[in-house]
Structures are given as structure tokens and as C-alpha cells.
Amino acid sequence: MADTSMSDRAGWRSLLDEVTDAHSGELVTIEVVDPSIGSQHEAERLPFSYLTYDPKDDVVVVAVGGQSPRYPVVLRHMVPHPKEVDVSTPDVTEAAVRVVDPEDTATLITFFPAESRTAS
């Protein structure tokens, strides 16, 4: 996975498919960073399901859960009409994707190895 900053929607679907393949079986944190109200976590270290761009509806979707009895429900976070998608380089400690909406609110999707999950 390369360090990519893309404002051209044409490559988003294949880029995010690569991210999904590269991070299958990992955990993910979804954080929304709004310039006016700050940072809010939507999901913390939940099983990653997929990340995609739907060109028909012009929306980036990240999904967690839905793959085990412990997390049977799929949670989807959507970023409508994104203007930018950034993917981190593979040499960083925590791989991440940043999606920016038209109001400059950023959704930060951070990946963690599954073994980093704490026991419950």
C-alpha cells in the first residue's frame, strides 16, 4: 500500500479495495475530527470488515464487525461527498486512512494487528 493522497475519485475504489485486502483480520479505530467540535471516536479497535468508495452515491464507507458471534452486527460509518482520501505509507507503526468531507471534517481510520486486542 503506497502513501497516496487523492482528490481524483477515479482511483478511490481500487485504492480502498487494496486497503481492505491488506488489513483483513485486523482491528480498526474510527475517529471523526471536526474543526469546530474536535475529535470523537465512533469505534475503538473493533474487527475491520471493509472500506470502499461507492461512486454512484459518492460516499466512502468503512464497516466494522459482522464477522463473529462477539461482534455480530456490522457498523458502517459513511463519509458523503468526500473531497480527499489519503492512505498512509506501509512503514508507519499504525496504518491509517484519512477521508475529508466538503466541510473539512476528517474521518481517521487506524488499523491495528488483531493480537493487540486486550482480553475481556
Side-chain angles (χ1 to χ4, degrees), residues 58-110:
D58 190 25
V59 63
V60 169
V61 181
V62 58
V64 299
Q67 299 176 354
S68 71
R70 182 171 180 177
Y71 300 102
V73 176
V74 174
L75 167 72
R76 290 179 185 88
H77 174 82
M78 299 181 190
V79 180
H81 312 294
K83 66 179 188 178
E84 187 176 331
V85 173
D86 300 313
V87 177
S88 68
T89 59
D91 57 339
V92 296
T93 306
E94 296 168 346
V97 174
R98 183 176 69 106
V99 182
V100 181
D101 74 9
E103 289 79 36
D104 292 324
T105 297
T107 297
L108 184 61
I109 304 148
T110 308

Side-chain angles (χ1 to χ4, degrees), residues 9-113:
R9 288 167 167 70
W12 288 355
R13 186 173 208 150
S14 63
L15 175 67
L16 297 179
D17 285 348
E18 288 177 28
V19 171
T20 296
D21 291 343
H23 296 285
S24 177
E26 293 186 358
L27 303 178
V28 68
T29 294
I30 303 170
E31 181 179 6
V32 178
V33 183
D34 186 298
S36 61
I37 61 171
S39 176
Q40 300 176 354
H41 282 87
E42 291 229 343
E44 278 196 70
R45 295 189 187 227
L46 292 177
F48 175 62
S49 185
Y50 64 87
L51 181 59
T52 191
Y53 173 67
D54 178 355
K56 180 180 176 216
D57 292 325
D58 190 25
V59 63
V60 169
V61 181
V62 58
V64 299
Q67 299 176 354
S68 71
R70 182 171 180 177
Y71 300 102
V73 176
V74 174
L75 167 72
R76 290 179 185 88
H77 174 82
M78 299 181 190
V79 180
H81 312 294
K83 66 179 188 178
E84 187 176 331
V85 173
D86 300 313
V87 177
S88 68
T89 59
D91 57 339
V92 296
T93 306
E94 296 168 346
V97 174
R98 183 176 69 106
V99 182
V100 181
D101 74 9
E103 289 79 36
D104 292 324
T105 297
T107 297
L108 184 61
I109 304 148
T110 308
F111 298 92
F112 303 91

